Amino acid sequence: MIRATVWGENVHERTSKTVAEIYPKGMHACIAAALNEDEAIEASTATLQEPEHGLPQPRVDQTDVLLWWGHAAHGDVSDQVVDRVADAVWGGMGLIVLHSAHFSKIFKKLMGAPCNLTWREAGERERLWVTSPQHPIARGLPKCIELEHEEMYGEPFGVPEPLETVFVSWFQGGEVFRSGLTYRRGAGSIFYFRPGHEAYPTYYDENVRKVLVNAVKWAANPEKRNAHVHDAPNIDIKDAPESIEARGPKLHAEGEEGFR
Ligand code: ZN
């Protein structure tokens, strides 16, 4: 079983009647339910309001893939939890970053980039064109996913060039956007997936749900928890694969505070 944790900021659901009517149990619960329809996935939820945002170390250790939805309260997420999640990704945990989480602390940290974009909330039609039909995340999808109402996100999207682009969106107003991007950071696989504005029922869409299931399976790393991501061992000269003679100067002498 792939253990997925769906992290929800859970703010709009409690402050907006519109959002609460669409997602009465929260967006995170809707997303987790979509994942739990697949027998290979066991999904649970965590929210900002829980102690340590529902992500204490043991919970992170037991997560194969973390999904992250945030928007209104990125700044309220503690840096300690962000560092913990980044460490886990480097160690091999999968991370799926949803919609407005493009501006989350964790995504910006892992991208090392501003992750800015243009946007418009006008309930317009979005078509997500599958640009990599051979990609595991696109398995079983039509050529294009059509969403009748979505928020527009437009280029330029201030992220590093991705490993792969799985979807490109067209919006009724004419803009386009790279909507499905993959990255690898350390041993961790990362997928950014654009749709999912809180004011529309996007996470009930069958194709969107299929993408989320596919993405969790793609991001799960069975070899994960090779967790020594901060180790930088000094290889003694006698352990070098080929015989070599040391040449000076030697700045990091034995017994000296180690260079890490
Ligand atoms: Zn939005």
Side-chain angles (χ1 to χ4, degrees):
M1 289 291 267
I2 300 170
R3 300 163 300 178
T5 300
V6 183
W7 189 87
E9 180 185 86
N10 194 30
V11 170
H12 294 303
E13 296 95 320
R14 302 185 310 153
T15 57
S16 158
K17 202 163 161 270
T18 307
V19 179
E21 278 172 6
I22 303 170
Y23 297 108
K25 292 177 182 166
M27 302 174 82
H28 46 283
C30 179
I31 293 165
L35 299 177
N36 279 323
E37 283 173 8
D38 192 286
E39 56 189 20
I41 300 172
E42 191 169 45
S44 55
T45 63
T47 58
L48 174 70
Q49 296 78 20
E50 294 169 47
E52 300 186 62
H53 311 320
L55 297 173
Q57 189 67 54
R59 182 78 186 279
V60 173
D61 290 343
Q62 288 159 27
T63 298
D64 298 314
V65 180
L66 178 65
L67 297 90
W68 193 280
W69 196 101
H71 180 229
H74 294 316
D76 294 347
V77 178
S78 90
D79 291 337
Q80 196 193 357
V81 168
V82 172
D83 289 347
R84 184 181 297 158
V85 171
D87 267 6
V89 171
W90 292 334
M93 182 182 75
L95 178 69
I96 296 168
V97 177
L98 299 168
H99 187 58
S100 41
H102 69 92
F103 254 180
S104 61
K105 285 184 180 178
I106 183 62
F107 191 55
K108 290 169 94 165
K109 179 184 174 95
L110 291 168
M111 294 298 105
C115 305
N116 55 311
L117 46 80
T118 64
W119 61 282
R120 173 176 60 239
E121 195 181 15
E124 61 204 274
R125 182 177 307 124
E126 173 177 11
R127 291 197 184 108
L128 291 109
W129 291 94
V130 178
T131 53
S132 298
Q134 79 287 356
H135 198 283
I137 294 175
R139 190 170 295 146
L141 293 175
K143 283 192 285 193
C144 158
I145 301 173
E146 193 161 315
L147 300 170
E148 189 53 35
H149 301 289
E150 253 299 347
E151 181 182 24
M152 185 281 290
Y153 278 6
E155 296 282 346
F157 186 16
V159 287
E161 197 61 27
L163 273 183
E164 301 148 314
T165 303
V166 186
F167 302 103
V168 168
S169 282
W170 165 93
F171 294 90
Q172 204 167 359
E175 286 89 349
V176 296
F177 189 77
R178 292 168 292 163
S179 277
L181 305 177
T182 72
Y183 294 91
R184 191 149 295 121
R185 292 292 184 267
S189 293
I190 301 171
F191 180 57
Y192 173 77
F193 188 49
R194 194 218 77 86
H197 186 59
E198 67 276 5
Y200 310 118
T202 299
Y203 292 121
Y204 293 99
D205 181 89
E206 281 309 313
N207 287 319
V208 167
R209 292 164 86 90
K210 198 172 281 179
V211 170
L212 297 175
V213 165
N214 288 347
V216 164
K217 291 178 176 176
W218 168 83
N221 176 1
E223 304 297 322
K224 83 187 187 81
R225 305 293 180 243
N226 52 358
H228 311 291
V229 290
H230 293 291
D231 286 3
N234 175 32
I235 310 295
D236 193 272
I237 191 165
K238 68 177 178 347
D239 296 326
E242 300 286 342
S243 168
I244 50 169
E245 262 178 53
R247 290 185 282 190
K250 193 175 177 185
L251 296 182
H252 306 292
E254 214 165 318
E256 191 183 299
E257 189 61 29
F259 175 74
R260 291 178 64 84

